[in-house]
Amino acid sequence: MEQDRSYEQMDSRELLAELVRCQKKETRHARWSLAVSLLLAVAVVAAVVVVLPRGVAILDHMEQSLQQVDTFVAGANKMISDNTDTVTEAVTKLNGLDFDALNRAIQDLSDAVEPLAKFARLFQ
């Protein structure tokens, strides 16, 4: 058939042949579209079947990890609050020490022990 001819110039037989050719072309395109759509649907279902259980498992694991972190943080907070009083008490006691008097007592002890050390060296 000539492509340049318009539909008005074609007779009934040629029009029917053109119509059948167009219908076959549309049917072929519809089959390809259906096949591609089915493949995509199967791929989506397979992805959901494979990915969804793994995603749920990962979320469960994350939840357990977060619970362990919460437990650790609660324990750390308790340890810090329990030891805050002890540390404060120790710092208060250290602040109460008279270091000048302690240094003088150490010097006095050193002055008293030095002659004994000299005397003990004579017997060596």
Side-chain angles (χ1 to χ4, degrees), residues 18-67:
E18 182 69 20
L19 184 61
V20 168
R21 188 179 67 76
C22 287
Q23 287 292 330
K24 285 181 180 180
K25 187 188 241 184
E26 285 180 12
T27 303
R28 189 171 45 243
H29 286 261
R31 285 180 182 161
W32 276 105
S33 296
L34 177 64
V36 170
S37 297
L38 285 175
L39 285 175
L40 286 174
V42 167
V44 167
V45 168
V48 167
V49 166
V50 170
V51 172
L52 193 60
R54 288 183 183 174
V56 169
I58 288 171
L59 289 176
D60 287 342
H61 187 343
M62 287 175 57
E63 184 177 345
Q64 291 172 356
S65 296
L66 287 174
Q67 288 174 350

Side-chain angles (χ1 to χ4, degrees), residues 3-4 13 28 49 70 74 100 104 107 114 120 123-124:
Q3 294 292 344
D4 296 335
R13 188 179 184 132
R28 189 171 45 243
V49 166
D70 286 343
D100 292 332
R104 280 193 306 269
Q107 186 61 44
E114 187 177 346
F123 295 109
Q124 289 182 356

Side-chain angles (χ1 to χ4, degrees), residues 68-84:
Q68 290 174 352
V69 168
D70 286 343
T71 302
F72 172 77
V73 168
N77 285 340
K78 184 180 182 315
M79 182 183 72
I80 289 170
S81 65
D82 289 348
N83 291 324
T84 300

